[in-house]
Every structure is written in C-alpha cells, then in structure tokens.
Amino acid sequence: MSEKLEVLQLIPSIDEEASGPSYSVTKLNENVSKIYKSKLFTISNKEEIINDNISKFKESQIFYKLSFSFKLIQSISSELKKNKDIILHNHSLWLPLNYLPFFFNKIFKCYYIISPRGTLSSWSLKNSRFKKNFFWFLIQKRVLKNAIAFHATSDLELQEIRKLGFKQPIAVIPNGIDPHRSIKNKNKNYYSLSKEFSVIFLSRIHEKKGLENLIEAWGEINFPETSIWNLKIFGKGNDKYINFLKDICISKNIRNISINAPLYGEKKISEYINSDIFILNSFSENFGQSVLESLNLGTPVIVSDQMPWKDVELMNCGWVVKNDIKSIVKLFETKILRTDKNTLYNMGLNGINYSKSHYGWKELSTRMFQFYDWIKNGGERPPFIYD
C-alpha cells in the first residue's frame, strides 16, 4: 500500500443531524482514519476545526446557500501541493463544492471518486428537472465522466449510475452503523400483553418519502377493535408540505396520526426502541440510514420496493411493499395486523443480528480503503468493485 496515500472527503454539509450523509460520511472518515490518513472538508455557517480530521469552512456570503467557500478551495490546493497522491472523494452532486474535484483534477492530475448519495436516481433527476438539466450539460456530466471511479451504497444505486451510461469501476459499499447498547427494554411477557401498537416514521418530511400514500392508506385500513394502532411521524420539512399532510388528516377524518418535530440523540433512540414498527415507504432511496438505525435498535421495518432493503424479508426483520395506497392497506390487513407482539419482538432481534453482521463500520471502512488502494496501486480487484 502506498505510504503517500491520503484521502480528502468533500461534502457540502454535515450540519443537519437528521441527514443520513451527515452521519455516514463523518463515520466513514473517522473509521478510514484508523487505517490511513483521511480528512473531511465541508461547509458551514461558521469556520470550525472539529478535530484533526474534520474541518468546516465558512460559506461565502457572495454565494450564500450554494455551499461555496474560497478558503476551502485554498485549503484543498494546499493539501494537493503537499501531496499529489491525495484521492478526492466527493459526496453528493449539483452544488459548487461537488464540481471542485473536476477542476483540481485538471490542475493537479489527482484522482477523484464520486459517491452520488441518491442524487442520480430517476426520482431525484425529475425533481427540479429544468435546473438540473441546465447544470448537467454545463458541468455536472463532465464532472461525472472524468471521475476515476464511483462509490455506490447499494446495488440499486449501481444500476442508476450504469443507466446513465457511465462505465467507470463502481465499488458497492453500504453505509455502516455502530451497534447500540440498548435494545428492546421491556420484559418480553409484559411486552406481549400490550394491545397498543406504535408505527413510526423517522426521516425527512419530503414528497419523495411517500407520506401522502401512507397517510391515506392509514385512513383506509380496517383496524381491529381489540387493539389501538398509532402512526407517529417525526421529521423536518417544508412548512407548506407539512400543513398539506395535516390537512389530509383533517379533511378525511384520519385518526391516530400525529405529525411531530424531528427527534435527535437519545430521544430519537428511545422512540425507535419503544415503537413496534418503523416505516419508510419512499419513492426513492439510495440507502436509507434510518432503516438501518431501526434494525440496529431492534424495531422491525416496512420499506418500499424502490429501496435497497429487500433482504429484510429474507432475514425476517421486516416487510417490503409497493408504494401505493392499495398495497399498503393490503400489507397491514393481511400481515401486519395479524402479527403479535412476541413475533415483532423476535423480528427485532433478527434485525439487530442482521445489522451487526452486515453493517459494521470496521469491515466497511476496510473495504473502502481497499477501494482507494486499488485505484492508486492496482493489483487484484476486490470482489465488491464492478467494471
């Protein structure tokens, strides 16, 4: 392995605690740093050195809300002048920071990798389509075309990259998670006696998450009179869209739904642990960190068939559903409502075992370093890299 090999992770922001990339990219950098030198550069509303491996650069007021910083550009240049063997690892697309690796490649002949982080899905490309088409032909397509390789967090994202015609090697390495000390904290016998069930949504409140279908389906499910089912939605989103969802509940008299502010830290962990089922029926997800969080804390999941989590049925820790009202209603009436608490408890334990065995950071960060080393030094191609 090259003694000079260094990696510089670039991401527009890590300020939003509820954002999947804020956690996963930070943890990736932290764990790769245990193996070799890795730094993370990002943009924020103030300049801050978090530690030796993470630096935040203040956003330029000239380009406010565009994730741009002249000082960040100077710092990247300084790093590359000291060591041209640095690999730039770009996370996400469409913002000025995400175009920088292309220009540094032209100046310093350095390699760069791109992790799209869901930005190349069909749903994402249709969202703000005209603006994205403009930047696609102006610069974004060239940035993607000149990358030495891609990193995808799932086979689904690999297919999205190939669908657009890019032929570079792609490493499929999922996000990881730290095993949590807490699991279901109720006595199993007591747990089985409760007749109240809690289904939670814990993610960004956004059109792509399928919440309109979920809420309308909730109003059509024929719940048994012998139990109480509550749907609790937690997340941050556009006020207009949140009010629109609340209006659906009011206009259609849909009960036992609450739409709440996002949860963070121990409050979020507690909500996962004390809920019976987690649901995320998105139209598009490159990964879905909140699904992994739920499995890690022992709560079974419901996911859409447009997400890379089909294994949850195979591992008996969740269900996969088409993201339409009829399919969601059918899943609940034919399966979910017929699943008792003891079964849910055991499914949660299956989820914990699954998350530990497949998504530990130590193994995944080792794979990422193998990917970096293969790019710089060649040799035998690791099995998770596809031509």
Side-chain angles (χ1 to χ4, degrees):
M1 294 183 181
S2 169
E3 292 184 0
K4 286 187 174 182
L5 180 58
E6 295 181 28
V7 182
L8 186 55
Q9 317 280 348
L10 302 176
I11 183 170
S13 175
I14 57 171
D15 287 344
E16 180 55 68
E17 186 179 345
S19 167
S22 294
Y23 168 81
S24 58
V25 178
T26 303
K27 292 297 292 188
L28 171 67
N29 180 67
E30 176 187 320
N31 282 276
V32 170
S33 296
K34 296 174 183 177
I35 306 170
Y36 224 87
K37 190 171 183 180
S38 179
K39 293 183 179 180
L40 187 154
F41 283 3
T42 187
I43 293 175
S44 184
N45 57 8
K46 65 177 181 178
E47 191 164 325
E48 185 178 3
I49 305 298
I50 305 297
N51 54 45
D52 290 342
N53 299 322
I54 300 179
S55 298
K56 291 184 176 182
F57 296 86
K58 187 174 181 179
E59 184 173 42
S60 170
Q61 295 303 303
I62 301 174
F63 303 98
Y64 183 59
K65 290 189 176 181
L66 286 177
S67 292
F68 186 85
S69 165
F70 289 106
K71 191 165 183 180
L72 178 140
I73 293 174
Q74 293 172 352
S75 296
I76 296 173
S77 298
S78 177
E79 294 285 340
L80 288 168
K81 286 175 183 177
K82 290 187 288 185
N83 182 4
K84 293 184 180 180
D85 275 355
I86 289 177
I87 294 175
L88 300 181
H89 190 164
N90 173 69
H91 299 269
S92 194
L93 302 176
W94 305 113
L95 289 170
L97 177 143
N98 304 124
Y99 305 142
L100 293 179
F102 172 80
F103 296 105
F104 283 116
N105 167 261
K106 298 301 180 185
I107 298 168
F108 293 97
K109 309 302 179 185
C110 59
Y111 291 135
Y112 67 91
I113 298 164
I114 293 178
S115 295
R117 301 279 172 187
T119 54
L120 292 180
S121 70
S122 297
W123 196 98
S124 178
L125 292 174
K126 289 176 184 176
N127 191 35
S128 302
R129 181 178 61 184
F130 296 110
K131 181 172 70 174
K132 286 179 179 175
N133 281 344
F134 174 77
F135 283 104
W136 178 264
F137 291 107
L138 180 68
I139 183 65
Q140 186 64 82
K141 185 177 181 180
R142 282 187 288 166
V143 174
L144 291 159
K145 190 174 181 180
N146 281 272
I148 188 69
F150 288 90
H151 160 233
T153 55
S154 64
D155 291 333
L156 177 63
E157 190 166 46
L158 179 150
Q159 294 165 16
E160 291 167 350
I161 296 167
R162 288 287 183 246
K163 186 178 178 181
L164 291 168
F166 299 107
K167 302 183 184 302
Q168 299 100 311
I170 302 176
V172 178
I173 305 170
N175 296 335
I177 198 162
D178 292 317
H180 199 271
R181 65 186 183 279
S182 299
I183 58 171
K184 294 297 182 185
N185 56 0
K186 297 177 183 176
N187 176 277
K188 189 174 180 181
N189 292 326
Y190 168 81
Y191 188 72
S192 66
L193 294 175
S194 174
K195 298 300 181 184
E196 188 166 349
F197 293 79
S198 176
V199 179
I200 61 163
F201 169 97
L202 246 166
S203 186
R204 185 163 56 112
I205 296 178
H206 189 274
E207 286 89 341
K208 85 166 188 174
K209 303 294 183 177
L211 283 166
E212 294 167 50
N213 285 347
L214 174 59
I215 289 172
E216 296 210 26
W218 195 262
E220 295 186 15
I221 297 169
N222 184 24
F223 291 108
E225 294 182 0
T226 55
S227 59
I228 300 171
W229 285 79
N230 297 300
L231 173 61
K232 295 188 285 185
I233 296 169
F234 297 92
K236 186 176 181 180
N238 178 276
D239 288 342
K240 183 178 179 181
Y241 183 63
I242 291 173
N243 289 331
F244 168 70
L245 296 177
K246 290 179 178 179
D247 287 342
I248 294 176
C249 298
I250 295 169
S251 64
K252 299 196 174 185
N253 195 28
I254 303 173
R255 300 184 178 182
N256 293 358
I257 292 182
S258 62
I259 301 177
N260 311 279
L263 297 175
Y264 303 107
E266 290 298 322
K267 288 184 178 180
K268 180 170 76 168
I269 290 168
S270 179
E271 194 63 44
Y272 276 122
I273 292 171
N274 292 305
S275 297
D276 298 287
I277 297 170
F278 168 86
I279 187 165
L280 186 63
N281 55 301
S282 291
F283 288 108
S284 172
E285 294 285 344
N286 68 298
F287 187 74
Q289 190 70 27
S290 55
V291 177
L292 182 54
E293 289 175 353
S294 184
L295 294 171
N296 185 48
L297 291 165
T299 302
V301 300
I302 301 171
V303 295
S304 82
D305 60 357
Q306 299 302 308
M307 299 169 61
W309 285 102
K310 293 182 174 60
D311 277 359
V312 298
E313 288 192 332
L314 180 66
M315 305 304 292
N316 193 26
C317 54
W319 299 267
V320 178
V321 65
K322 289 183 67 175
N323 192 5
D324 60 67
I325 297 169
K326 185 178 179 180
S327 297
I328 296 170
V329 172
K330 183 179 178 181
L331 174 67
F332 270 85
E333 292 186 345
T334 61
K335 293 184 180 180
I336 306 296
L337 300 182
R338 299 180 183 185
T339 304
D340 61 37
K341 289 240 178 186
N342 279 336
T343 301
L344 292 173
Y345 182 91
N346 290 323
M347 291 178 71
L349 296 179
N350 293 338
I352 291 169
N353 292 331
Y354 176 50
S355 65
K356 282 183 178 178
S357 61
H358 288 73
Y359 298 98
W361 273 119
K362 183 177 180 181
E363 180 185 348
L364 297 178
S365 57
T366 299
R367 283 191 217 171
M368 187 64 76
F369 182 72
Q370 290 172 344
F371 177 39
Y372 297 147
D373 188 67
W374 179 75
I375 287 171
K376 291 298 294 185
N377 301 314
E380 185 176 353
R381 186 182 66 189
F384 51 83
I385 301 175
Y386 301 88
D387 283 333

